[in-house]
Amino acid sequence: MTESSTTATAPSGMESRYGAPRRSVSKKSQRWMILGTLLLALAAMIYFTVGNSIGQITHNDVGYTITSDTEATVDFQVTKDLDATARCMIHVLDSSYAVVGAEIVTLGPQEGTGPEDRTQYYSTDVRTETRGVTGMVDSCW
């Protein structure tokens, strides 16, 4: 055996100390990893978007009428699933933003077939302790 053949198979000082150099990932493998990551990100985005919209209840104030010193009417719209039952807290406020009347309204399942039927308008009368100046939906659940 010659000296040149033994040095070719013997590990160099760096290899014996730190190990053999790592093999790099091929360009084809890199492309597949990037594509897989993008597909997973897209799937997560779709999952969270659809998951947050199903079962969500939203409300909007439409208007109010102060009918007397002891009563007000509040008009509002609620968007919910057709078969869901929701409850909404309605407040009537005075000029200093104090609650002078409150009512919890229960909204049962509604008829309809499409997404446009999820939004319905409601009106409710609220008794007040003193004359109110505004009416609003505080929250729905």
Side-chain angles (χ1 to χ4, degrees):
M1 217 177 200
T2 65
E3 187 176 310
S4 62
S5 65
T6 57
T7 57
T9 59
S12 68
M14 295 294 275
E15 287 181 5
S16 64
R17 182 176 286 178
Y18 299 110
R22 294 188 183 192
R23 223 175 40 139
S24 64
V25 180
S26 69
K27 294 285 185 188
K28 186 176 180 181
S29 295
Q30 287 177 353
R31 283 189 209 121
W32 280 109
M33 287 189 289
I34 291 171
L35 181 64
T37 303
L38 290 174
L39 287 175
L40 282 174
L42 178 66
M45 184 178 69
I46 291 171
Y47 172 78
F48 287 116
T49 301
V50 172
N52 286 338
S53 66
I54 295 175
Q56 185 177 17
I57 300 172
T58 60
H59 60 84
N60 290 318
D61 298 324
V62 175
Y64 64 91
T65 305
I66 306 300
T67 54
S68 70
D69 287 344
T70 59
E71 188 175 42
T73 302
V74 178
D75 302 318
F76 58 100
Q77 82 179 34
V78 174
T79 303
K80 65 178 184 65
D81 289 339
L82 296 173
D83 58 345
T85 298
R87 299 183 89 188
C88 294
M89 173 61 81
I90 312 298
H91 283 168
V92 176
L93 309 175
D94 66 5
S95 59
S96 64
Y97 302 105
V99 177
V100 294
E103 181 81 25
I104 295 178
V105 179
T106 302
L107 310 170
Q110 59 208 38
E111 293 188 20
T113 55
E116 66 278 355
D117 296 328
R118 294 180 63 224
T119 301
Q120 297 287 320
Y121 289 90
Y122 300 95
S123 181
T124 187
D125 295 326
V126 180
R127 296 183 51 117
T128 61
E129 295 177 12
T130 61
R131 186 169 189 84
V133 296
T134 188
M136 59 180 252
V137 179
D138 180 63
S139 61
C140 290
W141 62 95

